[in-house]
Amino acid sequence: MPVVTLAERKAQQRAEKLENLAVALLTDLKRDCQVAHGLGRRELTWGSVVPCIETGSDADMDEVLAYHAKMMAEHAGSGGFTRVEWCQAKAPTTWVDRPARFGGHMQIRVYWDDDAEEYLGRL
């Protein structure tokens, strides 16, 4: 059994905390998409403060967004979101297909099909 150093263990704990923050972010998004789905909508533009461990840490926010995008991409073909656009807020504002944030804020636009209710319900 390999010996894990203190630095490696702290890095692992940090990664787990960031992944948990990304899971919570996705859970909030899916909850709001469920409401929109119930109203007959199949798209939602949604904004949030990007969570992080250390307040204002660009590295934390970038990693949370990377985890968030990865989790959404994993379910793209199995009843998940059919399209995801991220707002690149610096003027001129554009919607891009890669994770983007402006300071500590993110705006995302997601689309889903009629059969996505099961996916949206898995919180």
Side-chain angles (χ1 to χ4, degrees):
M1 178 184 252
V3 176
V4 179
T5 66
L6 180 61
E8 291 170 332
R9 181 66 187 138
K10 284 186 176 186
Q12 181 183 13
Q13 289 173 336
R14 179 181 175 277
E16 288 171 2
K17 285 179 184 178
L18 292 172
E19 189 168 6
N20 288 337
L21 291 172
V23 168
L25 194 64
L26 183 57
T27 299
D28 291 346
L29 172 61
K30 287 169 66 175
R31 182 196 63 233
D32 292 344
C33 287
Q34 251 186 327
V35 172
H37 188 83
L39 295 172
R41 302 291 312 256
R42 299 301 178 259
E43 73 173 74
L44 179 70
T45 302
W46 187 81
S48 177
V49 172
V50 181
C52 54
I53 297 169
E54 187 179 318
T55 304
S57 170
D58 286 333
D60 284 3
M61 289 186 276
D62 289 342
E63 287 184 55
V64 167
L65 284 186
Y67 282 125
H68 183 70
K70 179 183 171 193
M71 287 185 289
M72 286 193 301
E74 287 172 355
H75 300 283
S78 59
F81 298 117
T82 56
R83 192 167 87 206
V84 177
E85 299 174 331
W86 303 79
C87 181
Q88 195 163 6
K90 278 191 176 177
T93 300
T94 55
W95 290 92
V96 296
D97 61 355
R98 63 188 182 286
R101 63 182 175 83
F102 187 71
H105 300 272
M106 62 170 271
Q107 292 280 353
I108 189 170
R109 185 183 299 152
V110 292
Y111 300 83
W112 61 91
D113 290 328
D114 290 340
D115 63 351
E117 193 166 6
E118 182 184 336
Y119 169 73
L120 297 175
R122 282 184 264 141
L123 301 174

